[in-house]
Amino acid sequence: MQRRYLGLTAAAIATTMTMTLTGCGSGSGGDVTLQLVAADYGDGKSNGSQHYWDELARGFEKKHPDIKVEVHVYSWTDVDKKVEQMVDSGHAPDLAQIGAYADYAAKGKLYSADQLLSIPTQANFTPSLEEAGEYKRVQYGLPFGASTRRLFYNKKLFAQAGITAPPQNWNDIAHDAQLLKAHGVKMPYALPLGPEETQAETLMWMLSGGGGYTDSIGKYTIDSPENVRTFTWLKDNLVGKGLTGTDPAKLNRGAAFKGFADGDVGMLNGHPTLMKQAEAKGIDYGTVDLPGTKGKAKATMGVADWMMAFKQNGHRAEAGKFLDYVYSDKNVEKFSGEYGLLPVTTSASQAMQADDKYAKMHGFLKQLASAEFYPANKTSWPLISKTVKAKMGTAVHPNGNPSGVLTDIQNTADAADSAAE
């Protein structure tokens, strides 16, 4: 994910990775040591993901003393690259919890979900997430941590500007942003199209305008009329009128979230972790479904990170036992609660929905079933994501050309898809 849901702090682990895995012999004759490389969801050492995984691994080992689990946690800045290096050097980990799976699946390096998991475990994934984990209709990516997006607004700033209800459509956004600007709000609408997470903000706006990255059969539709209309509207009605407070191409998501928590942003699209950030600074906020052209957007954006199991070391049965344990309700609920994410299983989602302790998460959770995800099942997606990061900010510049930028990205996408065939 590129960065995923949080402004994540690197928690580089000082442990030296043991690149070759023990198939047997580290103890009694049948012992196996699984290596898992995972991403860090914490915002500091005190709540880093290493703590979660160490505790989970110890619990698993008590039940399965013949299987050891070594977990190495890296920041989101480094983790995908680390796994890529390990695979390229011929020393793939048994398990990786990272941002993308499709390229490894396309190269035949991964076990499929049905080769790993018990039937109850595989059947328990939220259907939209299970589908997002499929490459050529076979599930290789096991969802691990999910989120959806909603529009956040600062209730105090809205009240001061005389705004009595949150925006429901694009006209409301433009109107409310004008009122916020007139009352001195530094950034009436934060539009982070800087390189940190451009591909996310882009998809949210595509969906709110009735478009998306792909059509129903997975063909890229980046330069569709709906998408051109969306970014032309942003250019003319928000950026061109000075309602974003700064050049969107230079605003990263982390800075936009900080601005909201500091009380300098009137509204922006956000995910569940922004709630904790805002509450820590005493911001009174509300959230609503993403506004669309006439009413709420056709869908919100969903994001998932992925667990996958590599074939190289032949530890299919042991990895499967561990994954069944990872995806137990207790462990899924603990991880989701700790890091402000949505559960990836149906049973854990139902438990969260029924628990008033998670009331502020319920709006995000209700959207998950119909959320639309990055086309992560396409091997071309990492390149397209990188291209979107490099170019989309220029599309909404007052002197920009949305149609031209979207066409350039579409051409790159078409060429990448043709090369992959």
Side-chain angles (χ1 to χ4, degrees):
M1 254 171 106
Q2 48 232 4
R3 195 279 338 128
R4 281 290 164 291
Y5 315 122
L6 313 171
L8 295 167
T9 304
I13 304 305
T15 311
T16 301
M17 291 287 290
T18 304
M19 295 303 243
T20 47
L21 305 183
T22 45
C24 61
S26 62
S28 60
D31 282 5
V32 164
T33 298
L34 297 175
Q35 288 237 26
L36 164 63
V37 176
D40 191 6
Y41 290 82
D43 53 15
K45 287 186 178 180
S46 63
N47 72 338
S49 295
Q50 190 75 46
H51 297 294
Y52 171 82
W53 283 114
D54 285 347
E55 184 176 336
L56 186 146
R58 300 298 82 80
F60 173 77
E61 289 169 354
K62 286 180 181 178
K63 293 175 180 268
H64 301 276
D66 57 331
I67 306 173
K68 306 301 179 188
V69 182
E70 293 182 2
V71 186
H72 304 271
V73 175
Y74 293 87
S75 73
W76 273 111
T77 306
D78 301 322
V79 69
D80 289 273
K81 185 181 297 183
K82 181 65 180 177
V83 172
E84 182 181 358
Q85 290 170 347
M86 294 175 72
V87 173
D88 288 348
S89 68
H91 300 294
D94 292 287
L95 298 155
Q97 184 268 300
I98 52 177
Y101 67 87
D103 192 44
Y104 298 125
K107 294 175 180 176
K109 294 183 180 294
L110 303 179
Y111 290 117
S112 60
D114 61 351
Q115 292 176 308
L116 293 162
L117 304 174
S118 66
I119 292 173
T121 299
Q122 187 178 4
N124 197 24
F125 287 125
T126 299
S128 61
L129 294 171
E130 180 181 2
E131 184 177 347
E134 292 180 352
Y135 174 73
K136 294 189 174 179
R137 299 184 180 273
V138 177
Q139 186 184 4
Y140 294 95
L142 313 181
F144 190 88
S147 70
T148 59
R149 302 296 192 264
R150 292 172 68 79
L151 180 85
F152 283 69
Y153 63 99
N154 184 311
K155 290 184 176 181
K156 180 180 178 181
L157 296 180
F158 267 52
Q160 290 173 343
I163 305 168
T164 58
Q168 303 296 315
N169 55 51
W170 286 4
N171 286 339
D172 290 345
I173 287 177
H175 178 261
D176 294 350
Q178 287 281 13
L179 293 176
L180 291 164
K181 181 181 179 181
H183 279 75
V185 176
K186 291 182 182 179
M187 200 174 289
Y189 191 96
L191 185 65
L193 290 173
E196 182 186 1
E197 205 183 34
T198 329
Q199 79 288 353
E201 191 72 18
T202 297
L203 179 54
M204 283 182 266
W205 277 98
M206 285 178 168
L207 293 172
S208 73
Y213 280 121
T214 60
D215 61 18
S216 59
I217 60 171
K219 179 177 171 53
Y220 283 113
T221 53
I222 294 166
D223 63 347
S224 69
E226 293 85 358
N227 291 341
V228 170
R229 179 186 64 182
T230 294
F231 288 93
T232 301
W233 185 89
L234 284 171
K235 168 182 173 287
D236 294 343
N237 293 278
L238 291 187
V239 183
K241 293 182 179 179
L243 301 179
T244 58
T246 188
D247 180 359
K250 297 178 181 177
L251 180 66
N252 280 325
R253 182 206 50 78
F257 277 22
K258 183 178 184 301
F260 188 80
D262 288 342
D264 294 330
V265 172
M267 50 186 158
L268 80 169
N269 294 333
H271 51 67
T273 55
L274 180 55
M275 297 190 295
K276 187 175 181 181
Q277 200 171 338
E279 288 163 6
K281 292 289 191 76
I283 299 297
D284 185 14
Y285 66 90
T287 73
V288 293
D289 291 343
L290 298 185
T293 52
K294 303 297 183 184
K296 72 177 184 177
K298 69 170 186 176
T300 189
M301 182 182 82
V303 174
D305 300 320
W306 303 102
M307 178 74 78
M308 61 212 70
F310 287 88
K311 292 179 178 179
Q312 181 179 333
N313 303 298
H315 294 154
R316 180 187 63 81
E318 294 85 358
K321 287 179 182 178
F322 179 64
L323 290 170
D324 278 338
Y325 184 78
V326 168
Y327 286 104
S328 67
D329 284 351
K330 178 187 73 171
N331 289 322
V332 171
E333 291 168 18
K334 181 176 180 181
F335 180 82
S336 302
E338 173 72 22
Y339 297 108
L341 297 171
L342 302 179
V344 297
T345 64
T346 299
S347 55
S349 296
Q350 290 170 343
M352 180 177 279
Q353 193 72 52
D355 191 339
D356 290 342
K357 180 173 69 174
Y358 298 110
K360 291 184 178 179
M361 297 286 284
H362 290 171
F364 293 92
L365 191 56
K366 287 177 183 176
Q367 300 176 139
L368 187 57
S370 60
E372 295 200 14
F373 296 82
Y374 299 134
N377 59 341
K378 295 171 73 69
T379 58
S380 56
W381 171 243
L383 171 63
I384 305 315
S385 176
K386 182 178 179 180
T387 306
V388 169
K389 288 182 178 185
K391 295 186 176 182
M392 276 310 300
T394 64
V396 299
H397 189 276
N399 298 320
N401 178 4
S403 179
V405 171
L406 290 167
T407 298
D408 283 348
I409 300 172
Q410 178 71 40
N411 290 339
T412 299
D414 288 341
D417 265 3
S418 295
E421 292 176 355

